[in-house]
Amino acid sequence: MRYDFTVIGAGVSGITSAITLAQNGYRVALLEKADRTAPLLRGFSRQGVHFDTGFHYTGGLGAGEPLDIFFRYLGLSERISSYSFDENGFDIFHCESPGFEFRIPTGYDRLQERLGEVFPGERAAIRSYLLQVRATCADLPYMNLDVVIDPNASLQRIFGPTLREKLDSLTENVLLKSLLSSHCLLYGVSCSEVSFAQHAAIVGNYYESVRGIRGGGLSLARAFDARLAELGVDVFCSREVTGITVGPGGTLSGVQLAGGDSLECNAAIATVHPRILLDLTPEGTFRPAYRKRLAALEETVSAFMCFAVSNNPVPALAGANRFLLPDAESLYDLGKRPIGDAPLYLSSAYREGAVEPHGFIGICPILFTETAPWESSRFGKRPEGYRQYKAQALERMQRQIERAYPDLAGNIHFIEGSTPLTVRDHCNTPLGGLYGVKHMVGQYNPHSTTRIPGLFLAGQAVVSPGIMGAVLSGFLACGTVLGHDIMRKELKVCC
Amino acid sequence: MTDQEIIEQINSSLAEEFEFALNDMTPETTLFEDMGLDSLDVVDLVIVLESAFGMKIREEEAIRKIRTLGDIHTFVINKKRQMESA
């Protein structure tokens, strides 16, 4: 049986692509290496508490906002229920030195007002920053459905200025700059490397509104599954793609699977890490320049994560995520500070059906090289030295969190930790990047079109990480196939 | 580096990275028609030049105007000269 399309990888970008193509009448096979779809969305449970590892909240899901429209188009809206994070503080920015806390509200006007109250001398800088974020977002393909897709769009995301350069040009207030850079932790790139345009494209959505999904990423994964089944997409889990076959004339003709099977198709959308893509494509199909570019792509920081549970509900953790910074300059060199003295991101965890949190996940950006001594070990077979490293790291992280939030001490048990090796093995990023390939000034990430006719790319490397970036990358790939104007028209019907 | 050395370096880098025959490369060779590049390849072109000459290329307007191999030669020579005098 020959498919119109195979989609390689059933993460958010792959599922988005599969649904979009199926909705347009194509016969689609969706292939996933893991034993279920969207493994990173599903998280895991310990001691009755569910930890979301891949999804903590999202911007742009308020009524009529981009992700709300996208979910309606994908047939998910009726299957999930979302709730607003605290409008007066969806994120709590906590700096230890100097001691400073700020609750980041949603809504551009409210954000501008609150920032102005705390930094009265910086009102002009704040206004200018927010205006520029807003203007950047208004120009983004698919985020604004009136924007005509231009293949020669501006290269500002690659050419810069960096976020740090932009903020330096606006203000000398180190604390304000740190606060406005804090969302770097959501995409894993330092403010001195990410372009202002890329940063704006991500945070702009959060400045509008911030929502969670009831039941977390797992509910979203189930909604995706239900929609795929409804559309008759053939989903194959535990089926790893090992190669892409190219027919006469260089056009894509099928994919090879682990175990020797193969699947015939007219075209494919690959959502794998660009470096893995190189291993899948036959020698000579890409020019050396392109191969070298993909092979050299840098990844974002990796992370050490802690998972903590509480016997009693912890209402203080509800409604907001937390950025915990040792000092105002700790976002300049993401990943290079030792655990315990590095920035941290905390997000609450819930017992099934509970309204108040019973724990949290803590994410600390560190470099992949930190676990280099155990690089060749595999999950379930790590040596003793690795276990000691993990226990010590967990303890340092616990001390840092309890220093910032003394009320939690005694009530919270740190039950598990995960390292860059865990990230590498679960996220399929060869260098352990928590958010995959980095989006930074000077790095040219791949486009959705490739040199192989019939092969298209989606995934976080193309647009940005997060649900929004993954969905957008799926639309870009499908728009390349179906025509961007047609895609935009279909989406507009869902406005 | 003399202008001629710069031109030779550009041609040999492009020949290697894009699999062109050196003999076919003249200043009049057009990138899109003769060499078969498209807008997707422009990014790789920029990266190849950046690494061959250890420079950062951020001149978006100038890059978009490049049509022939000679345009690349002129662009890089001017940029090298600017860097040297800076």
Side-chain angles (χ1 to χ4, degrees), chain B:
Chain B
M1 270 178 126
T2 65
D3 287 2
Q4 192 50 41
E5 282 166 345
I6 292 175
I7 288 171
E8 280 167 17
Q9 166 94 57
I10 292 171
N11 290 359
S12 67
S13 299
L14 295 184
E16 188 189 329
E17 299 287 348
F18 292 93
E19 299 173 320
F20 298 135
L22 263 179
N23 295 340
D24 297 343
M25 296 168 79
T26 70
E28 291 74 36
T29 307
T30 58
L31 303 181
F32 300 108
E33 290 82 15
D34 298 338
M35 293 166 84
L37 299 189
D38 59 27
S39 61
L40 279 179
D41 295 307
V42 172
V43 163
D44 288 315
L45 187 70
V46 168
I47 297 172
V48 167
L49 296 175
E50 282 188 342
S51 72
F53 293 97
M55 52 167 69
K56 286 202 166 97
I57 297 172
R58 297 285 180 269
E59 295 82 352
E60 192 165 349
E61 291 281 313
I63 296 166
R64 294 202 193 287
K65 285 190 189 134
I66 287 175
R67 292 286 174 272
T68 64
L69 198 51
D71 291 344
I72 298 182
H73 297 159
T74 313
F75 173 79
V76 175
I77 289 168
N78 287 343
K79 188 146 167 92
K80 286 279 288 180
R81 297 288 167 259
Q82 272 171 29
M83 282 164 67
E84 280 161 12
S85 61

Side-chain angles (χ1 to χ4, degrees), chain A residues 299-303 366 368 420-421 423-424 429-436:
Chain A
E299 289 183 11
T300 70
V301 288
S302 193
I366 60 169
F368 184 58
L421 295 184
V423 174
R424 175 195 65 186
T429 50
L431 299 176
L434 185 61
Y435 301 98

Side-chain angles (χ1 to χ4, degrees), chain A residues 222 345 465:
Chain A
R222 287 176 179 153
Y345 173 70

Side-chain angles (χ1 to χ4, degrees), chain A residues 166-233:
Chain A
K166 173 66 76 181
L167 291 172
D168 283 347
S169 74
L170 293 171
T171 173
E172 288 177 1
N173 190 309
V174 180
L175 204 51
L176 176 62
K177 286 191 275 194
S178 184
L179 175 55
L180 297 178
S181 305
S182 51
H183 291 103
C184 282
L185 291 174
L186 299 188
Y187 51 78
V189 185
S190 297
C191 58
S192 31
E193 288 187 322
V194 70
S195 65
F196 170 74
Q198 177 72 12
H199 170 80
I202 295 171
V203 294
N205 292 304
Y206 289 84
Y207 293 167
E208 295 277 6
S209 78
V210 175
R211 301 184 75 79
I213 293 173
R214 298 226 180 271
L218 184 59
S219 306
L220 185 57
R222 287 176 179 153
F224 273 136
D225 282 345
R227 182 61 179 154
L228 287 167
E230 189 173 68
L231 289 165
V233 173

Side-chain angles (χ1 to χ4, degrees), chain A residues 197-468:
Chain A
Q198 177 72 12
H199 170 80
I202 295 171
V203 294
N205 292 304
Y206 289 84
Y207 293 167
E208 295 277 6
S209 78
V210 175
R211 301 184 75 79
I213 293 173
R214 298 226 180 271
L218 184 59
S219 306
L220 185 57
R222 287 176 179 153
F224 273 136
D225 282 345
R227 182 61 179 154
L228 287 167
E230 189 173 68
L231 289 165
V233 173
D234 286 339
V235 181
F236 301 97
C237 291
S238 303
R239 295 315 300 267
E240 181 178 2
V241 172
T242 53
I244 285 163
T245 38
V246 171
T251 305
L252 183 135
S253 62
V255 296
Q256 292 153 349
L257 303 170
D261 292 344
S262 62
L263 218 116
E264 288 186 0
C265 57
N266 298 330
I269 294 181
T271 67
V272 296
H273 190 288
R275 197 173 309 193
I276 296 172
L277 178 77
L278 291 179
D279 299 335
L280 302 183
T281 47
E283 278 290 317
T285 44
F286 292 138
R287 290 192 170 116
Y290 185 71
R291 289 196 89 86
K292 279 186 196 165
R293 165 152 71 104
L294 295 199
L297 289 171
E298 283 184 33
E299 289 183 11
T300 70
V301 288
S302 193
F304 189 93
M305 297 190 216
C306 70
F307 304 93
V309 299
S310 155
N311 296 331
N312 308 310
V314 196
L317 289 174
N321 290 326
R322 281 145 209 274
F323 297 110
L324 195 52
L325 267 61
D327 58 72
E329 291 181 353
S330 47
L331 298 169
Y332 291 160
D333 47 5
L334 226 51
K336 296 191 181 144
R337 299 204 176 195
I339 296 172
D341 195 34
L344 270 184
Y345 173 70
L346 303 184
S347 178
S348 18
Y350 294 79
R351 286 189 194 286
E352 196 171 342
V355 184
E356 288 182 330
H358 274 84
F360 60 83
I361 165 175
I363 304 175
C364 173
I366 60 169
L367 299 182
F368 184 58
T369 45
E370 184 142 337
T371 43
W374 310 285
E375 219 178 283
S376 55
S377 69
R378 288 282 145 188
F379 181 68
K381 291 180 185 161
R382 313 268 198 224
E384 180 55 27
Y386 171 81
R387 277 195 285 274
Q388 277 172 15
Y389 159 80
K390 212 166 131 172
Q392 284 165 6
L394 201 55
E395 206 183 300
R396 288 204 298 273
M397 223 160 144
Q398 175 170 0
R399 277 205 300 271
Q400 184 185 3
I401 293 168
E402 291 181 348
R403 204 165 59 226
Y405 300 108
D407 292 354
L408 291 181
N411 188 25
I412 293 272
H413 308 286
F414 286 74
I415 56 165
E416 191 54 89
S418 77
T419 74
L421 295 184
T422 326
V423 174
R424 175 195 65 186
D425 296 346
H426 285 270
C427 301
N428 301 308
T429 50
L431 299 176
L434 185 61
Y435 301 98
V437 168
K438 207 184 243 184
H439 290 265
M440 68 168 182
V441 169
Q443 173 154 293
Y444 295 83
N445 288 17
H447 194 269
S448 40
T449 317
T450 72
R451 273 266 153 225
I452 301 177
L455 176 64
F456 306 90
L457 307 183
Q460 75 77 31
V462 180
V463 180
S464 63
I467 303 275
M468 182 70 93

Side-chain angles (χ1 to χ4, degrees), chain A residues 6-145:
Chain A
T6 58
V7 176
I8 307 171
V12 174
S13 59
I15 298 175
T16 297
S17 306
I19 291 176
T20 304
L21 294 169
Q23 285 181 169
N24 279 277
Y26 291 101
R27 181 121 187 83
V28 184
L30 176 60
L31 302 166
E32 169 58 44
K33 180 169 98 165
D35 59 2
R36 45 208 183 141
T37 59
L40 301 183
L41 272 186
R42 292 175 191 265
F44 68 94
S45 290
R46 286 282 186 284
Q47 301 185 11
V49 177
H50 186 78
F51 294 100
D52 251 321
T53 45
F55 172 76
H56 304 109
Y57 55 13
T58 181
L61 188 54
E65 291 175 8
L67 201 54
D68 179 46
I69 296 166
F70 299 164
F71 278 2
R72 222 171 299 156
Y73 175 75
L74 295 170
L76 303 172
S77 301
E78 303 299 314
R79 296 182 158 97
I80 54 164
S81 140
S82 73
Y83 63 94
S84 176
F85 267 57
D86 188 347
E87 291 178 347
N88 290 306
F90 68 94
D91 276 331
I92 300 172
F93 174 89
H94 182 104
C95 185
E96 283 189 272
S97 170
F100 173 79
E101 194 165 277
F102 183 82
R103 302 178 76 89
I104 305 174
T106 53
Y108 277 91
D109 292 344
R110 190 161 29 202
L111 181 56
Q112 185 173 326
E113 193 187 310
R114 298 279 162 82
L115 285 169
E117 284 162 17
V118 177
F119 301 96
E122 302 292 342
R123 287 206 161 94
I126 293 162
R127 187 168 174 275
S128 169
Y129 166 81
L130 290 174
L131 270 176
Q132 292 182 62
V133 169
R134 227 170 172 164
T136 306
C137 290
D139 268 346
L140 293 174
Y142 287 107
M143 292 287 291
N144 176 351
L145 290 171

